[in-house]
Amino acid sequence: MRCRDAAGEAEHGQIYRRLPVRERSAERVGRWHVGQSGVSILDAKDATHVEQLRQSGFQEIGCWELDSARDLSHSIDLPRKAGVYAFAIDGVVQYVGLASKSLHQRLNFYRKPGASQRTNIRLNEIIRGRLEGGAMVQILVGHPPDHQWKGFRISGAEGLEAGLISAFDLPWNMRGANSSALPAPTSRRAKDSKGGGMSRVIDVIRARPGLTELEIARAVYGKGAVQQQVNQVCRLLVKQGLVERRGAGGRADPYVYYPGAAAE
C-alpha cells in the first residue's frame, strides 16, 4: 500500500457517515487485503481497519516520515480545524486521537514534543521506531459534525474518538489497553497456575496482533507492567510455534508478535 498524495485527495469538509462499528463478520473481513507484514486482515478480527474508516468518511492524507536528521516529519498540508485522526500500519489502525482545535497544530506536537507532554513523547518514540524498522505509518483524518441534544451542543469529534477507543482494540491508545475484547488482566498467582500466563499472552496476541513485549505485558498485568514479565513466555511460545516473532529487536525495530501456525 502506498500513501496517497495529500493534494487533491482529502475533501476535509465532507459529510461524516455513521461508522459500522460492529460489522466485523469473517466474510466481510476476509475480503480485505493482506498487509505488508504478511498478516491478513482476517488475523486481526478485533482491530480497526483503514478500510472501515475510509468507508465511514475518514480520509487517508499521507504518512509519517523521517527527515535527514532522523526526526519525525511529514509533508502533509494538515487541515487547521478540529477533527479525529488515526495512525495505521499495514492497514490496521494503531491509534486514534482528538484534535479539539486544529489537526495541523495537534499532529505537529508529535514532531517535537515538549518535555512535559508524555503522550506526545510516547507516540513520537513509537512512530520513529516503527519507521526506522521499515514500517509505513499512515495518517487518516475525519471531521464528524456536531449535534444538538435538548439545547446542548454535542461534539461529534469528541464523541467519535471516545466511541472508537471504546469499541476497538487500539494498541497505542492507553485508554484502550483494557478493552472489553480482551480477557481481564491476570493476577501473578493465576499466571503461575496451570500455565495461566501463557494462555493469557496467547489470548492477547490473537486479539491484537503486532504488539511489542511491553504492550503485551501491559495488556496482561496492567499499565505498570514491564516487558520482562512476558519475555520468557514469549520466547517459549515462539519455540512451540504458537506465536510468531517479527522484527530485529531494539528500539528501531522492536520485536512484535503474531499468532503462530500451531495456534490455529
Side-chain angles (χ1 to χ4, degrees):
M1 182 185 298
R2 301 178 63 183
C3 279
R4 289 174 168 79
D5 185 354
E9 281 287 337
E11 297 179 4
H12 302 300
Q14 70 172 357
I15 297 175
Y16 184 83
R17 299 185 298 279
R18 186 175 180 181
L19 183 70
V21 169
R22 294 299 177 191
E23 291 185 14
R24 289 192 245 173
S25 68
E27 180 182 356
R28 179 183 177 94
V29 172
R31 290 202 297 267
W32 289 333
H33 69 278
V34 175
Q36 291 178 340
S37 65
V39 177
S40 70
I41 299 304
L42 187 60
D43 295 324
K45 296 175 184 175
D46 295 315
T48 322
H49 304 97
V50 166
E51 184 64 22
Q52 286 175 282
L53 297 191
R54 283 197 196 121
Q55 291 177 3
S56 302
F58 275 76
Q59 294 287 327
E60 182 185 347
I61 59 173
C63 287
W64 284 110
E65 303 167 355
L66 292 175
D67 62 20
S68 58
R70 310 303 291 172
D71 290 329
L72 201 60
S73 179
H74 64 73
S75 56
I76 306 166
D77 183 16
L78 292 165
R80 299 175 184 267
K81 60 180 180 179
V84 178
Y85 58 92
F87 304 148
I89 295 178
D90 283 352
V92 179
V93 179
Q94 307 292 315
Y95 185 82
V96 167
L98 169 71
S100 58
K101 295 182 179 179
S102 166
L103 283 159
H104 177 89
Q105 181 184 58
R106 182 69 192 91
L107 267 67
N108 279 339
F109 284 150
Y110 290 118
R111 299 173 65 181
K112 295 183 178 180
S116 63
Q117 297 174 337
R118 290 188 292 180
T119 297
N120 296 343
I121 292 171
R122 180 174 66 86
L123 267 294
N124 176 282
E125 291 177 350
I126 290 173
I127 295 169
R128 282 196 298 114
R130 298 301 170 89
L131 292 176
E132 289 171 353
M136 182 180 71
V137 182
Q138 302 158 269
I139 302 173
L140 299 96
V141 298
H143 301 280
D146 293 340
H147 301 279
Q148 292 285 330
W149 182 76
K150 296 185 178 181
F152 294 100
R153 172 185 164 275
I154 306 297
S155 169
E158 292 178 15
L160 175 60
E161 184 218 20
L164 288 170
I165 291 173
S166 175
F168 294 107
D169 292 312
L170 302 161
W172 300 352
N173 281 88
M174 297 300 293
R175 280 179 289 169
N178 292 325
S179 167
S180 59
L182 294 174
T186 306
S187 67
R188 288 179 179 272
R189 181 172 296 179
K191 173 180 77 76
D192 297 328
S193 172
K194 299 180 181 179
M198 292 181 66
S199 62
R200 169 65 180 157
V201 169
I202 291 174
D203 288 343
V204 168
I205 293 171
R206 281 175 172 169
R208 293 161 62 185
L211 295 184
T212 64
E213 290 175 353
L214 178 58
E215 290 164 345
I216 294 169
R218 287 176 174 173
V220 174
Y221 302 115
K223 64 180 181 179
V226 295
Q227 69 183 60
Q228 286 79 5
Q229 290 175 261
V230 298
N231 279 0
Q232 292 183 355
V233 171
C234 287
R235 283 198 292 268
L236 181 58
L237 292 173
V238 170
K239 288 182 180 179
Q240 294 176 347
L242 295 171
V243 163
E244 179 184 345
R245 182 173 65 194
R246 302 177 187 178
R251 194 191 74 173
D253 187 15
Y255 290 134
V256 291
Y257 294 85
Y258 294 84
E264 297 302 324

